[in-house]
Amino acid sequence: MLQAERSLGLTLVVSEITVLFRRLRTWAMIGALALIPILIAVVVRVSSDGSASGRGPAFLNSITQNGLFVSLTALTVAIPLFLPLTIGVVAGDTIAGEANLGTLRYLLVAPAGRVRLLLVKYAGAALFCFVATLTVVVTGAIIGALLFPVGPVTLLSGDTVGIPGYFGRLLLLALYVTVSLMGLSAIGLFISTLTTIPVGAMAATAALAAVSQILGALPQLEWLHPWLFTNYWLGFGDLLRQPIVWDSFADNALLQLGYIALFGALAYGRFSTKDILS
């Protein structure tokens, strides 16, 4: 019996991931994210003086010296707006999209169960978080290597690491940002259980990410900042030190886990008592 339950769960996860990554919309969003590092690298490459004149996001001035910094710059640009937008689309569509298409009832008729369906939907959204982040990082590294010289990287601590070691840091950066977006995914899942209009759930999820960042920028609300799910989104700089400082990673993971637990429980409470009419 237990083996059959596990087999069903795995089948549902594979089916959800397959459906998600077969959608043209998903690949359009991944393509849009890939354009971010490409545009940054091309603009810096073709600019007259090859520099950012001291303006722009962190690491921008270092791109011409080492193309591997394109990934860092692209992440810094993508985290506040572009990644939350794409995550909002995927997470907001999880339940509301099925209800809108009229397939939610049929999913529940199958021996899936509401709890398992929520977990499967969240797993798909979480995987998209990683794929989206990795797209920015990998594309940035590739375009940076094509347009600029690459070599050993000087970390924020002043130490230098070789290219293989730096690629390990980039993977850690992707994991950090993925963890950062897990709380937003849980929020989107909950909002998706409240409506049958997926566009509304998508917009609300992305809007909450923007509101949280605005609140985080107000010094008058400093007492609130540690509780905002966006508080540690740009704290990945600690992974670029030698030795690596794990404090931000741990604090971020704990905060996101709290949001996952809270909004996961809210999603379950709403979805378990919801009348499925479509």
Side-chain angles (χ1 to χ4, degrees):
M1 181 67 177
L2 182 59
Q3 185 176 358
E5 290 285 325
R6 290 177 178 176
S7 178
L8 175 60
L10 181 60
T11 300
L12 289 172
V13 170
V14 171
S15 175
E16 174 66 19
I17 293 172
T18 301
V19 170
L20 175 62
F21 285 97
R22 277 183 177 175
R23 290 173 178 165
L24 181 60
R25 179 181 64 195
T26 300
W27 288 105
M29 291 189 295
I30 291 175
L33 290 172
L35 281 177
I36 296 172
I38 293 174
L39 288 174
I40 291 173
V42 170
V43 168
V44 173
R45 185 70 179 87
V46 302
S47 60
S48 58
D49 58 356
S51 69
S53 302
R55 294 174 295 178
F59 312 113
L60 191 57
N61 290 324
S62 303
I63 290 177
T64 54
Q65 284 74 45
N66 196 329
L68 296 179
F69 281 108
V70 173
S71 294
L72 294 174
T73 306
L75 271 182
T76 307
V77 171
I79 287 176
L81 176 61
F82 299 104
L83 281 170
L85 279 177
T86 58
I87 301 307
V89 170
V90 173
D93 189 59
T94 48
I95 301 299
E98 299 288 357
N100 183 258
L101 291 174
T103 56
L104 185 57
R105 178 188 299 176
Y106 298 102
L107 285 175
L108 295 177
V109 168
R114 301 195 181 199
V115 175
R116 183 180 283 114
L117 182 60
L118 283 175
L119 292 175
V120 167
K121 291 292 184 180
Y122 184 75
L127 179 61
F128 180 82
C129 290
F130 180 69
V131 172
T133 304
L134 198 63
T135 296
V136 176
V137 171
V138 172
T139 305
I142 293 173
I143 193 65
L146 290 175
L147 298 183
F148 303 100
V150 297
V153 178
T154 301
L155 302 176
L156 297 180
S157 59
D159 300 276
T160 301
V161 296
I163 295 177
Y166 182 70
F167 279 134
R169 303 287 180 125
L170 287 180
L171 179 58
L172 286 177
L173 289 178
L175 290 174
Y176 182 97
V177 176
T178 299
V179 170
S180 298
L181 297 169
M182 298 293 279
L184 180 61
S185 297
I187 293 173
L189 178 68
F190 167 62
I191 295 176
S192 189
T193 65
L194 301 177
T195 180
T196 59
I197 305 174
V199 174
M202 297 172 190
T205 304
L208 282 177
V211 169
S212 181
Q213 291 179 84
I214 292 172
L215 295 177
L218 298 177
Q220 295 85 351
L221 297 176
E222 188 174 356
W223 59 271
L224 180 62
H225 295 174
W227 302 97
L228 299 174
F229 63 90
T230 57
N231 186 54
Y232 297 102
W233 276 12
L234 295 175
F236 53 77
D238 286 345
L239 300 178
L240 300 174
R241 302 182 186 278
Q242 185 64 34
I244 294 175
V245 179
W246 294 101
D247 293 355
S248 292
F249 196 111
D251 292 340
N252 185 33
L254 184 62
L255 178 65
Q256 302 306 324
L257 184 61
Y259 272 89
I260 292 170
L262 173 61
F263 284 93
L266 290 174
Y268 168 73
R270 167 61 178 169
F271 194 55
S272 62
T273 59
K274 182 178 181 179
D275 291 330
I276 307 301
L277 303 176
S278 58

